[in-house]
Amino acid sequence: MVLSASELNNAQQRVSRTRLCHGCELPIDSISLERGKSAYCPRCGMHLYKGGAPSLSGNLAIAVACLLLFVPSHLFAFISIRLFGVMIPATLPLGILTLYNEGFIFLSLLIFFCCSVAPFMLCVSVLAAHVSLKLCHFKALKYSLYTIKHLKAWVMIDVFLVSIAVSCFKLQDYSDIHIGVGLYGFILLQFMTVLLVSRVNVRSYWEKYRSEQSYHFHHKDMHCLHCQLSQPSNTVCVRCHKPMFRRKPHSIQATCAYIAASAIAIFPANLIPISILITNGRRMEDTIFSGVASLVKSGMWGIAIIIFVASIIVPVAKILGLSYLLLSIKFKNSLYARQRMTIYFIIKWIGRWSMMDLFVICIMMTVIDRGQILDFTPGVGAVAFGMVVLFTMFAAESFDPRLIWDDQSIGSKVEDRKETSNG
């Protein structure tokens, strides 16, 4: 059968409009959407793209504003308390430095990365991406967009703000709390970073560099996870030059290893004291659960529920949820794939909130003056809990959701072959 020139042109246009979903690799025809609207995959629910021409200059303005807000939010005290007649200010760098000096190097570096390094590098990478586009510098654009893609999940200023509120409720029994300029800086920084994370899209920058429509493919059966370009099978992406794989290399093995490490670390994290408070010569060691119980006894039900969910329910739910996804892939369970995808979305979103307890410990160490009548220090359980948070986030990042749909794709291909043979 020979196609006419018009039929061949129409077929080529259909191929150019088709894009593979990066969640399940379902071929989807791209449609034009109004500005503010979003397109989602009808099979797995993955967000595909937003309508309208993206305003990259808006991302640049927000990134610059975030960088300017780093000065008041980090250098000025966000809260202060009067303890033994002395006003003690709390700043984020001071809390991180206190943890580091007390020997909790892992916790200090983890908090420093999530609250300072990740948001700062995200903003700098957005600036670098704009400069790279202006100068048409491919390598700088490639690395800046790679940084943006992998840092978005680690920006946790919103979690730190909630931790400040929790700390204020805990500290109100010991002293009056005074709000500092740094808190307003953090609130503005949190608002701007959330806006930046929700707006910035790696694919829009690659489209600005070279549009998907400029590639004339005869078919598309692979999708680059870095620049979001659907293309024929290849070992290297034709646009971003990143190595391409059908699935993330060693995804199941890496996820299993991280889940096993998390499951081991979660026992000392819950059984060993996470914080130690010395008041009037009395030493009080609290595990996560006993800390929640003491909050309930004090009548702080709201704070107790927040800590219980973030520090106990969420880590356990992530371990069980990812284990369930791995088992369903292992036993090739093709039922309820959409529900399993929803579980994956929830796991990706809730994991960061487990950092709340560690942020609270950092704030408490900053404002409660050590070496006097009132003394506060983290316990060894805090280190184990930090490892649980880190390993579960690594597990969620290493998991490839397309594995959930592999049996579905195979099943649909078998059905198509049966219908073809019957026809």
Side-chain angles (χ1 to χ4, degrees):
M1 180 180 178
V2 180
L3 295 177
S4 64
S6 61
E7 291 175 333
L8 186 62
N9 185 46
N10 291 335
Q12 183 63 42
Q13 289 181 355
R14 282 196 299 271
V15 172
S16 64
R17 290 197 309 266
T18 302
R19 183 180 304 153
L20 300 180
C21 171
H22 51 283
C24 65
E25 291 193 337
L26 178 71
I28 299 172
D29 287 337
S30 299
I31 59 174
S32 59
L33 297 173
E34 297 179 4
R35 189 175 182 85
K37 302 289 185 179
S38 294
Y40 295 87
C41 176
R43 182 165 73 168
C44 71
M46 181 72 75
H47 181 265
L48 299 175
Y49 56 91
K50 290 183 179 180
S55 175
L56 300 184
S57 58
N59 296 342
L60 178 62
I62 296 172
V64 172
C66 288
L67 290 174
L68 294 176
L69 287 169
F70 265 87
V71 175
S73 62
H74 281 67
L75 299 184
F76 295 98
F78 50 84
I79 60 171
S80 300
I81 69 169
R82 186 177 296 279
L83 194 62
F84 309 121
V86 179
M87 187 66 74
I88 303 175
T91 64
L92 180 58
L94 182 59
I96 294 170
L97 187 61
T98 305
L99 274 173
Y100 186 88
N101 291 335
E102 293 301 322
F104 294 93
I105 299 174
F106 167 70
L107 293 182
S108 63
L109 294 179
L110 181 60
I111 294 172
F112 180 54
F113 179 78
C114 294
C115 289
S116 298
V117 175
F120 182 79
M121 289 301 299
L122 178 68
C123 298
V124 171
S125 298
V126 172
L127 291 178
H130 282 265
V131 174
S132 303
L133 281 177
K134 187 73 174 178
L135 301 177
C136 296
H137 197 290
F138 171 77
K139 187 171 287 188
L141 178 67
K142 174 182 175 180
Y143 288 122
S144 59
L145 294 180
Y146 181 84
T147 304
I148 291 172
K149 176 179 173 59
H150 288 86
L151 280 184
K152 288 172 70 174
W154 295 92
V155 177
M156 301 185 187
I157 295 179
D158 50 347
V159 182
F160 186 77
L161 267 180
V162 177
S163 303
I164 293 176
V166 173
S167 302
C168 289
F169 278 102
K170 286 190 171 186
L171 290 168
Q172 66 182 359
D173 292 337
Y174 305 105
S175 175
D176 294 330
I177 300 169
H178 304 274
I179 302 299
V181 176
L183 182 60
Y184 301 106
F186 262 116
I187 293 173
L188 291 174
L189 180 61
Q190 186 269 335
F191 174 76
M192 299 303 285
T193 51
V194 168
L195 190 61
L196 180 63
V197 169
S198 63
R199 281 176 56 96
V200 70
N201 189 336
V202 169
R203 180 181 173 272
S204 60
Y205 285 89
W206 281 114
E207 285 292 302
K208 186 74 173 179
Y209 177 75
R210 185 173 179 183
S211 173
E212 188 173 359
Q213 302 299 324
S214 64
Y215 295 94
H216 303 290
F217 299 127
H218 295 291
H219 65 281
K220 299 176 181 179
D221 52 9
M222 287 189 74
H223 189 79
C224 178
L225 295 180
H226 296 283
C227 69
Q228 307 295 322
L229 177 68
S230 298
Q231 56 198 279
S233 298
N234 204 349
T235 56
V236 177
C237 176
V238 297
R239 182 161 67 178
C240 70
H241 299 173
K242 281 283 188 180
M244 290 190 66
F245 304 94
R246 286 286 178 184
R247 298 293 178 264
K248 288 183 182 180
H250 312 296
S251 172
I252 293 179
Q253 294 89 333
T255 307
C256 285
Y258 287 131
I259 287 300
S262 305
I264 293 171
I266 201 169
F267 289 101
N270 284 274
L271 299 177
I272 299 176
I274 195 173
S275 63
I276 302 169
L277 179 66
I278 299 175
T279 174
N280 296 324
R282 192 160 53 101
R283 181 185 179 94
M284 295 184 294
E285 298 183 351
D286 274 328
T287 62
I288 298 175
F289 191 81
S290 65
V292 171
S294 63
L295 288 173
V296 172
K297 291 180 181 177
S298 302
M300 301 181 186
W301 281 90
I303 303 299
I305 292 173
I306 292 173
I307 296 295
F308 179 75
V309 172
S311 301
I312 297 178
I313 298 296
V314 169
V316 173
K318 287 192 71 175
I319 293 173
L320 294 179
L322 285 170
S323 300
Y324 166 69
L325 295 180
L326 291 173
L327 288 173
S328 65
I329 293 170
K330 173 68 175 177
F331 293 104
K332 303 184 183 301
N333 182 10
S334 60
L335 299 176
Y336 307 112
R338 181 63 181 266
Q339 287 77 2
R340 294 202 299 275
M341 200 69 179
T342 303
I343 292 173
Y344 170 73
F345 291 147
I346 295 173
I347 289 172
K348 287 274 289 183
W349 182 79
I350 64 173
R352 56 210 300 275
W353 288 95
S354 297
M355 282 291 295
M356 187 185 303
D357 234 346
L358 300 180
F359 291 158
V360 171
I361 289 174
C362 179
I363 296 169
M364 295 284 286
M365 281 197 69
T366 309
V367 294
I368 295 182
D369 199 9
R370 300 174 55 81
Q372 297 190 27
I373 300 174
L374 190 61
D375 184 38
F376 181 88
T377 183
V380 180
V383 179
F385 185 74
M387 295 176 66
V388 172
V389 176
L390 194 65
F391 287 143
T392 52
M393 289 197 68
F394 282 159
E397 290 296 323
S398 62
F399 182 77
D400 192 341
R402 295 174 296 180
L403 294 169
I404 298 174
W405 301 93
D406 280 349
D407 292 327
Q408 302 283 327
S409 301
I410 293 171
S412 62
K413 290 178 182 178
V414 171
E415 291 296 327
D416 291 342
R417 288 172 185 169
K418 287 182 179 179
E419 290 178 4
T420 303
S421 60
N422 290 336

